[in-house]
Amino acid sequence: MPVRAAFTPAPASAPLGRPAASHERFGLGGGAGLGLDVGAFDAPVAVLRVWATLLVGRYRFDAALSHVPTTPIAAPDRPAAGGRFTFVAGAASACLALLSWTSATAAACAGLELGQISAEGYGVTRPREGRALWIAPQAKLDLTLLLAPPLALRLDAGAEAPLGRRPFVLENVGVVHEPSPLVGRAGLGAELRF
């Protein structure tokens, strides 16, 4: 007599769930570096920079300080007279990662720099001091290379357009310096990310 085997259907498999939502990458960082500024002064000058970084997903927010050490600029017609200029500014910028690889990220950034150019005259009977407000929208591209966590290397290049440029005038000499309407800046620095 044929034996009938009982057939029990296998329990329904659990429905496939949606992939777990990926958590946004969040991090903090800070760094320092050296830049080259072309246009703020008559000749290219070195810029010392420090910054703090907030990372949220594809976005990065930077707060930076820039400083150009004292730079002498001679008057065009009187090489013995001129001014000693100093530049200090802070900037805030937002960046969007355009391309990302395993250990590198390319980003586009836009921001605003706010600071001051100071000058002290020399080579005249009554040298004076002067200051001018620096307000400059800025745009740049940068590349961040992760060397060995948490150390990263950042390279950037961009431009600024200073608003309300004011010439620096030396009494009985004339205009000593006026910033260019477009300033270029490039930099290289090291960053720690956490």
Side-chain angles (χ1 to χ4, degrees):
M1 174 179 218
V3 177
R4 292 188 178 177
F7 176 75
T8 359
S13 57
L16 293 177
R18 294 182 179 176
S22 59
H23 295 289
E24 284 193 323
R25 183 173 58 115
F26 176 85
L28 297 172
L34 187 64
L36 183 67
D37 183 294
V38 179
F41 296 98
D42 288 0
V45 293
V47 182
L48 306 175
R49 299 190 296 177
V50 294
W51 63 85
T53 295
L54 169 65
L55 296 163
V56 182
R58 294 177 61 200
Y59 297 94
R60 191 184 79 226
F61 303 93
D62 290 338
L65 288 174
S66 299
H67 172 61
V68 174
T70 302
T71 302
I73 299 177
D77 300 327
R78 288 184 51 184
R84 296 182 183 90
F85 291 79
T86 306
F87 174 78
V88 178
S93 60
C95 304
L96 173 64
L98 302 177
L99 296 171
S100 291
W101 299 274
T102 306
S103 58
T105 302
C109 308
L112 183 69
E113 187 171 59
L114 178 63
Q116 177 179 271
I117 294 182
S118 304
E120 180 183 354
Y122 67 84
V124 293
T125 308
R126 292 191 305 168
R128 295 183 179 177
E129 295 182 357
R131 293 176 181 80
L133 183 64
W134 177 272
I135 303 175
Q138 56 182 206
K140 66 179 180 178
L141 295 173
D142 68 39
L143 179 66
T144 302
L145 305 170
L146 190 60
L147 301 178
L151 181 62
L153 190 68
R154 187 190 292 187
L155 302 94
D156 62 73
E160 301 184 357
L163 307 176
R165 296 174 302 119
R166 289 178 51 195
F168 285 84
V169 179
L170 200 57
E171 189 175 347
N172 298 324
V173 174
V175 175
V176 173
H177 172 64
E178 182 177 5
S180 169
L182 189 64
V183 174
R185 190 176 290 174
L188 173 65
E191 181 175 274
L192 292 177
R193 291 191 167 184
F194 306 98

